[in-house]
Every structure is written in structure tokens, then in C-alpha cells.
Amino acid sequence: MTLGVTLASTRSPHSVDETVRLAREARDAGLHSAWFGQTFAHDSPMLAAVVGREVPGLHVGTAALPVFGRHPLLVSSQAQTAQTATGGRYHLGLALGTRHLTEAAFGLPYERPVGLLREFLTALRPLLETGEADFHGELLTATTPYPAAVPGARPTVPVLVAAMGPQALKASGELADGILPFLAGPRALAEHIVPAVTAAARAAGRPTPRIVALVPGLVTADPDGVRRRAAENLALYERIPSYRRVIGLSGAARAAELAVLGDEEAVAAEVRRHFDAGATEVVFTATDLGGEDDRRRTWKLLGELSAERAGGGAG
């Protein structure tokens, strides 16, 4: 996998069909993956399973399921079912979530999020690998009185975490297969995020982690107008401490400053900067901000860059 896009759920009564159509278009443009966020509407692992089954060859992923309000046994069932449905092309993303949504929506105290992440990952990995667990932690318990393996769920579902803070990066390096940083520009990736998670993985004797960088971006003739719309859409992240921190580490004051906008040459150069900073994969988000023509131009460019990297021609 090299380059992909996120697909936002539409409000159409035929939203699943529309998402499948867009996924086919992404694959035909040469993109390698499509990722689905988790809100309170569509179930993202189910949507990924449907899309992956309907669009052969396209990898699909969840970016990302908050661990609060969920349990490793149930997430394992979702992930393994999606892996079987897609023939081994599903990627599970987890997240810490935010205090506001956790407490307002679930009525759960947002306490010890990294501790919960560690226990969640510790319980989840054997479930995905063997279908069994016998975990008794301080924050959760996960045991299997009945087998939890889903036939055909191979290879083992890779687990990535939307981690950017030091403790979350350490836990992810030790216990996950990689990370899904969002709004982390090349400076933050190269100087803070990639070294931290890589060092943690190395110290734990684990393989080099995947760095799947989620980047708002668009090929457009109206970068100023799109950036204004991006500023409105991304403003909420500036109120979340973890995102505010990584935006600053990236050398920006506002989230929209990190959006990659411009013509094909300018956008391609920024994509290469993210790879040079340590990203192993780049996933563009918000490619619907400028209309259909801009989206298609963007997907075409990303497909061409995918082919370039696959052919060993990346600079």
C-alpha cells in the first residue's frame, strides 16, 4: 500500500451504493486503499467490509474506532468478519477519542485513556491471532468461554492507532502494527512522531511500524477558497489538546495551514515530503472540498504517484 483516500459517508438514501461507486472510481484511478471514519452514523468496519467485497483489489480500513465505549471481543468479531469478507484486505484503526464525545455521548469518564489503550491492544492481539483471550486488567477483562476465531480471517488483521502524543506513540510502537497520524505535517512526523513510535517498536522487538499519514489535500485551481472551507471544517481539531499540540509541532498555527493544496506539481511535492519525513503510506482526506472536478484531478494524481512509487521512481 502506498496512497489512498478517505471516503466520507453521504446523506443519500443510497449512501452505501454511492460509497461503493466512489471506491470503484478510486481503485480505477490507481489508488491502493480507501478508509472510513467512525461517527455515530454508519458502522465503519461494516462499511469497509461491504466496499472491500464489492471492489476487489482495493484495501479498506477503519480510521478509527474509539476504544471508549467498545470492547476487544466485539471489535475482534467486527475486524475478523471484515477480513474474511474482503479476502484479507482489511486494516483496523483504533483511537483514544476525545473527552467531550466520550463523556457526552457514552456517559463514560474519560480517564486513563492510554492505560485503556494498552489493555485494549493487549487483549485484542491474541483474539485476532488465535481467537482466544484470557486477559484480566485494571480497566477491562476479555476472556473467551467460546472460540472467537472467524474462519478465513487471514492474514491477521493489522492494527493501527491514531496516536500522536508521546505515551500513545510508545504504547502503539510496543503493541500495534503502526499509527494513523492526522494533521501531522512533515516536520512533526520527522522530528517527533516517527522517531518515537519506531524507537518503541524496536525496544519491544517488534517490526518497524507502518506510518499511515492522513493528510487533508486537494488538487485545485482555487487553493485560497478551498483553504477557507478547510479552515471551517478543521477548526474543531484546534480545540482538542492532542491535535493542537501536533499542529504546533508541524510549524502551523491553524489546522488548515497543513492542508496540501495547489496544482499537480505542488501537491506531488508535498506528498513526497510526507514520505521523506517517514510516512510509509499517505491517505488524502477532504478531497470533496472543491467539487467533483478537483476530486477527480486529485485521485488521478495520487494514482499516478502510487504507480511511480511502485515502479521505484519516487524521489
Side-chain angles (χ1 to χ4, degrees), residues 286-305:
T287 60
D288 58 350
L289 280 179
E292 286 293 282
D293 289 344
D294 283 355
R295 178 184 63 76
R296 291 192 178 99
R297 283 179 67 188
T298 305
W299 289 15
K300 180 176 183 291
L301 173 66
L302 295 177
E304 291 169 353
L305 295 173

Side-chain angles (χ1 to χ4, degrees), residues 86-121:
T86 61
R89 289 176 283 116
Y90 177 68
H91 306 255
L92 172 64
L94 299 175
L96 296 175
T98 67
R99 179 179 299 279
H100 171 71
L101 288 179
T102 297
E103 296 184 347
F106 297 129
L108 298 172
Y110 190 76
E111 298 174 351
R112 299 179 61 187
V114 175
L116 178 61
L117 174 66
R118 281 188 170 277
E119 293 196 5
F120 202 104
L121 290 169

Side-chain angles (χ1 to χ4, degrees), residues 47-126:
L47 188 58
V50 171
V51 170
R53 189 169 182 83
E54 291 291 317
V55 189
L58 186 71
H59 286 255
V60 290
T62 297
L65 288 178
V67 293
F68 282 94
R70 291 173 173 82
H71 191 278
L73 281 166
L74 302 180
V75 171
S76 170
S77 294
Q78 288 179 293
Q80 290 187 72
T81 301
Q83 186 72 319
T84 301
T86 61
R89 289 176 283 116
Y90 177 68
H91 306 255
L92 172 64
L94 299 175
L96 296 175
T98 67
R99 179 179 299 279
H100 171 71
L101 288 179
T102 297
E103 296 184 347
F106 297 129
L108 298 172
Y110 190 76
E111 298 174 351
R112 299 179 61 187
V114 175
L116 178 61
L117 174 66
R118 281 188 170 277
E119 293 196 5
F120 202 104
L121 290 169
T122 302
L124 180 63
R125 293 207 66 92

